[in-house]
Amino acid sequence: MLRLESLTKRYRTGDLALSEISLAIPAGQVVGLIGPSGAGKSTLIRCVNRLVEPTSGRIWLDDLELTRLGRRGLRHARRRMGMIFQEYALVERLTVMENLLSGRLGYVSFWSSLIRRFPPADIENAFRLLDRVGLMEHADKRADALSGGQRQRVGIARALAQEPEILLVDEPTASLDPKTSRQIMRLLREVCAERGLAAIVNIHDVLLAREFMMRIVGLRAGAIVYDGGPDGLTPAVLTEIYGEEDWAASSDLSDTGPSPRPGVPDTDELVGAL
Ligand SMILES: Nc1ncnc2c1ncn2[C@@H]1O[C@H](COP(=O)(O)OP(=O)(O)OP(=O)(O)O)[C@@H](O)[C@H]1O
């Protein structure tokens, strides 16, 4: 269980990015974080693993208070939180396998990491993960030879190699085409279900959020203005989150429930294409 209590972040510039956010995310729950640009989504995700230092408030991962940890404690705690970024954050000149194993760096000794010597169990597990994300035949390819979708799969596998309890996912599909975006969202949801992992996913695309997330948290100007199921994202709620817009013009969002979209390949077709 991840718990935020009155989390507030004011940057040195004076911007109030988050204001008194309280939120509890139980194990296994995949939460989509939506909201307009500047609403505080990235800041919230980065406060959880303290890439951004909160100004006030408390964050708990089970019974560990993350906001009280010193450097060493934080380093240990970060193993429990897998981070997946929009820009993949891969090391370009390293292979897929090497990038994936870098997810284990928090576990091996400094000297082992320097010479990149990993225990056989880590390597076995890395191959299993590569297989799971559909990249087995790309293990020895350099990261810079991969497509955007493949790079994001490496990002996901690397986060999983950490054996985290929660995934912090920042705009995972921002640089991907619609079909690849759906494949990545589906993969994320599936791996979370398989491992009982919770996730917070910062996502711009409301249709993707509605289709693949279990719960939606809508942020506006650093405050939560919606917290509920994806089916509750009515035009009125979207207006509350994003401001006035002709939501009815987007037929999918004018419905109150999810509906299959014409022209979008079905699950089997997409899985077959992986
Ligand atoms: N490093 C920073 N220094 C100062 N202000 C910042 C910093 N990062 C973010 N902000 C400000 O904090 C607010 C929230 O930004 P944040 O990036 O968290 O929003 P977001 O919802 O993720 O936006 P986007 O969807 O555009 O990425 C904005 O007003 C932004 O200008």
Side-chain angles (χ1 to χ4, degrees):
M1 164 87 81
L2 176 76
R3 238 169 354 108
L4 314 184
E5 268 178 25
S6 301
L7 181 68
T8 295
K9 173 64 188 180
R10 187 183 288 281
Y11 286 101
R12 277 194 208 137
T13 49
D15 290 271
L16 184 62
L18 297 173
S19 174
E20 302 277 329
I21 298 282
S22 293
L23 196 61
I25 300 177
Q29 190 172 65
V30 179
V31 179
L33 202 54
I34 65 170
S37 192
K41 306 179 297 294
S42 297
T43 301
L44 190 153
I45 284 191
R46 285 171 159 69
C47 277
V48 171
N49 63 2
R50 288 186 42 201
L51 284 177
V52 167
E53 278 300 332
T55 306
S56 61
R58 307 209 288 179
I59 305 173
W60 300 79
L61 186 56
D62 296 329
D63 50 7
L64 181 69
E65 189 182 342
L66 300 173
T67 31
R68 286 184 66 142
L69 296 174
R71 265 178 59 179
R72 200 183 153 89
L74 187 58
R75 188 167 157 253
H76 270 254
R78 279 182 176 153
R79 293 176 184 170
R80 299 169 61 185
M81 302 179 270
M83 184 97 191
I84 298 169
F85 300 89
Q86 168 187 354
E87 292 302 340
Y88 325 113
L90 304 182
V91 184
E92 299 293 334
R93 66 190 167 73
L94 295 186
T95 66
V96 165
M97 184 50 113
E98 286 167 330
N99 268 285
L100 206 162
L101 284 168
S102 71
R104 299 299 299 168
L105 284 179
Y107 289 93
V108 298
S109 74
F110 173 73
W111 294 110
S112 298
S113 73
L114 256 193
I115 54 170
R116 294 202 212 111
R117 204 147 103 208
F118 293 92
D122 281 5
I123 294 171
E124 253 172 58
N125 188 45
F127 274 116
R128 264 198 300 275
L129 285 171
L130 271 192
D131 194 30
R132 176 61 190 89
V133 301
L135 287 179
M136 196 58 139
E137 67 275 31
H138 299 289
D140 295 326
K141 250 193 196 165
R142 272 171 60 132
D144 54 11
L146 300 176
S147 71
Q150 290 168 336
R151 293 161 73 83
Q152 195 53 288
R153 286 168 190 279
V154 180
I156 293 171
R158 181 184 53 191
L160 294 176
Q162 249 179 270
E163 288 169 21
E165 289 156 49
I166 184 163
L167 292 179
L168 306 172
V169 191
D170 203 7
E171 295 188 34
T173 62
S175 320
L176 304 176
D177 66 62
K179 179 172 171 175
T180 309
S181 298
R182 288 172 56 81
Q183 292 171 336
I184 290 296
M185 291 302 287
R186 182 173 295 108
L187 178 63
L188 270 174
R189 196 182 58 183
E190 286 174 358
V191 295
C192 286
E194 288 161 12
R195 291 153 191 262
L197 273 176
I200 311 180
V201 186
N202 168 11
I203 183 160
H204 269 118
D205 187 322
V206 176
L207 289 173
L208 282 180
R210 203 173 76 168
E211 184 171 349
F212 291 102
M213 299 289 104
M214 296 173 176
R215 172 183 171 192
I216 305 283
V217 170
L219 280 185
R220 183 173 186 171
I224 295 178
V225 293
Y226 177 78
D227 184 355
D231 294 352
L233 288 180
T234 59
V237 167
L238 290 169
T239 299
E240 174 81 13
I241 301 171
Y242 291 97
E244 279 302 331
E245 182 48 74
D246 182 10
W247 301 109
S250 169
S251 59
D252 291 305
L253 292 172
S254 63
D255 297 339
T256 48
S259 56
R261 280 179 285 150
V264 174
D266 68 17
T267 311
D268 291 344
E269 203 179 330
L270 287 172
V271 169
L274 293 182

